[in-house]
Amino acid sequence: MSHRPRYRRYQPRLYQRRMPIFWWVHRAAHIRFITRELTSVFVAFGALELLFLVRALGQGPAAYAAFLAWLQTPVALILNAVTVLMLLFHSLTWFNLAPRALVLHAGGRRIPDAAVRGLNYAAWVVVSAGLAGLLLAT
């Protein structure tokens, strides 16, 4: 079966530029972009892991202990280490991208990119410190 459509004599033809599958490996910016997009898989993995943790907590102490035992397996440790690295990359690239994605104005003037980026990093540090304090207090 052919993937090329059949055209009549005066029918306009669609222009479909041929694109190699690894078009993105030739420029560092494209590699960073694709890598950032692929980190979304690890974001989903982290979210699913949290959902399974909550589910294990709801099912009782035995299910929770089994989940904790799975978390201590080498596979889970490696997966979680890679996930943390990918989440850091995802967060850092997002904070650097945020001033371009969200242009803020105050008093008719654009807020500088460095200020938006700095506020994002400051909020990240404050929230992380608050969560660490909460976890260490319990």
Side-chain angles (χ1 to χ4, degrees):
M1 183 171 177
S2 173
H3 294 285
R4 293 183 168 207
R6 294 183 179 199
Y7 295 102
R8 287 179 270 151
R9 185 171 183 179
Y10 297 107
Q11 181 182 3
R13 297 179 181 189
L14 293 176
Y15 175 69
Q16 293 181 337
R17 184 176 157 201
R18 297 220 178 251
M19 185 72 77
I21 192 167
F22 293 110
W23 61 267
W24 49 274
V25 298
H26 301 294
R27 291 185 63 188
H30 292 155
I31 291 173
R32 280 193 307 269
F33 171 76
I34 294 294
T35 304
R36 185 185 190 299
E37 295 303 309
L38 288 175
T39 59
S40 299
V41 173
F42 291 94
V43 172
F45 174 76
L48 283 174
E49 193 174 67
L50 279 176
L51 287 175
F52 281 115
L53 174 66
V54 170
R55 186 179 127 206
L57 275 171
Q59 289 177 339
Y64 181 66
F67 187 78
L68 289 182
W70 178 79
L71 285 178
Q72 294 173 353
T73 62
V75 172
L77 289 173
I78 291 170
L79 267 174
N80 284 321
V82 172
T83 300
V84 166
L85 291 175
M86 291 296 151
L87 290 178
L88 279 173
F89 180 77
H90 190 87
S91 300
L92 293 174
T93 55
W94 172 249
F95 289 151
N96 291 334
L97 180 67
R100 294 182 187 171
L102 180 66
V103 178
L104 297 176
H105 294 273
R109 298 174 63 187
R110 181 180 175 175
I111 296 177
D113 291 352
V116 174
R117 205 175 299 127
L119 287 172
N120 278 318
Y121 282 112
W124 189 27
V125 168
V126 167
V127 170
S128 296
L131 287 174
L134 187 68
L135 289 173
L136 293 175
T138 57

